[in-house]
Amino acid sequence: MSHVTYPNESAEYRKARSALLEEEMALRRHIEAVAAQRRALPPGGEVPQDYRFERIGANGMPETVAMSRLFGPHRTLILYSFMYGPDRDTPCPMCTLLLDSVNGAARHIGQRAALYIVAKSPIARLVAWARERGWAHLQFLSTAGNSYNADYFGDSTKLPAEIRALSGGKPGEEWDDTAFNVFRLDNGTVRHFWGSDLTWAPTEADTDHRSGDAVSALWGLLDMTPEGRGQFMPKLAY
């Protein structure tokens, strides 16, 4: 195939870049194939209860809302479990980085699916952090008082022992965790469609689980650079 060429590049560079391009095209095909396989999943399990969450209502006051009411005009609901429980003084920096990206996309996502960010902290605390961060387009729910995070692995309480060990958890220790879960409303029944199980899968050398990479702009940008990601860890402030 023909290629673009850049000013003053060498034949060695073009040969290596063309070989890389073949791999990038193969990766693109694989990403599309995985997405198609995900879309073809059979119906997932019915949610065990119509979870009740707390949110800030249109009048600016806290209110309780059932999970089945979160879909709005859509049939698809995306919930992201944010690692900012009441035991944390500050939120997880990696989760915060991810939500910096999601905030910018949230207005567009809302045209196709409902999206909420959930955490165990009281709703007032979540909204205060969102305001400080400038997240104008994210909607938050508090899971305080319900078992959603436990049932859908936004915390460690129901993780199998083997996965707890892989995660480095100590006996008796519990923690909140990052998790995306997608739900589908079918004829009045809410079913689980997909979860970010990659969070708890074994990792390759020198990587973390990378289960949220597809929605985080930072990692995609750093992967384009000569330095790559290295050991960079985001901070809440610089």
Side-chain angles (χ1 to χ4, degrees), residues 22-113:
E22 294 294 333
E23 296 300 322
E24 290 171 337
M25 292 167 63
L27 177 60
R28 181 176 64 190
R29 288 192 294 271
H30 190 63
I31 289 171
E32 290 300 312
V34 169
Q37 187 175 354
R38 184 183 299 116
R39 292 192 298 270
L41 285 168
E46 183 177 348
V47 298
Q49 59 179 286
D50 198 5
Y51 298 98
R52 310 286 290 186
F53 300 91
E54 190 175 38
R55 69 180 178 185
I56 298 299
N59 62 358
M61 300 297 292
E63 65 178 17
T64 301
V65 59
M67 185 179 191
S68 59
R69 304 289 295 178
L70 296 176
F71 288 80
H74 304 293
R75 293 180 59 203
T76 299
L77 168 67
I78 306 169
L79 297 183
Y80 174 66
S81 292
F82 177 35
M83 295 168 65
Y84 190 25
D87 296 335
R88 290 179 176 268
D89 294 331
T90 56
C92 166
M94 294 287 277
C95 292
T96 300
L97 159 71
L98 185 148
L99 291 179
D100 284 340
S101 288
V102 174
N103 176 65
R107 289 176 293 174
H108 308 290
I109 297 166
Q111 306 305 306
R112 296 289 300 268

Side-chain angles (χ1 to χ4, degrees), residues 198 201-210:
L198 194 61
T203 59
E204 283 70 39
D206 300 322
T207 68
D208 57 24
H209 56 74
R210 301 192 176 185

